[in-house]
Amino acid sequence: MRILVVEDEHRIANAIKKGLEQETYAVDVVYSGNDGYDLASTEDYDLIILDLMLPGMDGITICKQLRKDSIHIPILVLTAKGQIQDKVIGLNAGADDYLTKPFAFEELLARIRALTRRPRASINDTLKVHDLELNPTSFQVKRGDISLHISNKEFALLEYLMRNADKILTKDQIIAHVWNYDADILPNTIEVYIRKLRNKIDLPFPDKMQLIQTVRGFGYKITT
Ligand code: CA
């Protein structure tokens, strides 16, 4: 999942980025309202974290404009302490939720999980395709009874494939949702990661169904 952070306080913005990357999210950070609007309206994000007081376009204007543009990416607004009115204005402008600064990172994570429907750990929230299981909060991956060790990026890619099981995903879609804007990704990087995943979830289990399929000329899918 890919998240855009629009926040002019560098310290806060960078702390959010660092924390979310540890949770396997791909994160882009911009420090001005205009850059925020430009990226939010052109890139395919799963969530936007938006400060309200920004140089250039302010957060409320960005919210309103994105909704007017029919862009319905979930927006989590950050408001400064004591500006209760901001919450109401933000929600009226089309934001989905708000968080008052300063906040605990766990609280931010909980809001993000709720907005992106990446739920808290519980047995029912585990993604399952055949006997392959992925838990988005404990980061465990298992095939049958065997735990698999996969890197953060492989995890993000596998989660994206499993959430979209049976859909063909193009390399461009995979890049857009699994890597951030700064990442220098070439289409054959995706091939490399797909191969790494296959080596872990399919090849060690030759008697089982091979789950990751290549659809020549289109992309990849995981089949149920
Ligand atoms: Ca600010």
Side-chain angles (χ1 to χ4, degrees), residues 7-9 51-55 101:
E7 162 66 88
D8 60 318
E9 286 174 70
D51 186 30
L52 290 186
M53 299 280 279
L54 292 162
K101 293 191 274 189

Side-chain angles (χ1 to χ4, degrees), residues 116-135:
T116 56
R117 297 187 185 82
R118 183 194 237 192
R120 281 172 183 282
S122 90
I123 207 83
N124 297 327
D125 298 327
T126 300
L127 301 177
K128 203 163 185 243
V129 175
H130 291 275
D131 62 342
L132 177 68
E133 291 179 28
L134 176 148
N135 187 307

Side-chain angles (χ1 to χ4, degrees), residues 3-4 6 36-37 40 45-52 59-68 71-78 90-91 93-99 111-112 115-116:
I3 295 179
L4 174 64
V6 189
Y37 176 73
Y45 289 102
D46 297 293
L47 177 87
I48 301 168
I49 298 173
L50 181 65
D51 186 30
L52 290 186
I60 297 294
T61 310
I62 293 172
C63 243
K64 282 186 181 158
Q65 193 56 47
L66 289 174
R67 296 318 188 213
K68 222 166 131 188
I71 293 170
H72 301 292
I73 303 168
I75 297 175
L76 173 63
V77 152
L78 301 180
L91 294 176
D96 298 276
D97 201 357
Y98 62 83
L99 197 54
R111 303 296 176 94
I112 291 172
L115 288 173
T116 56

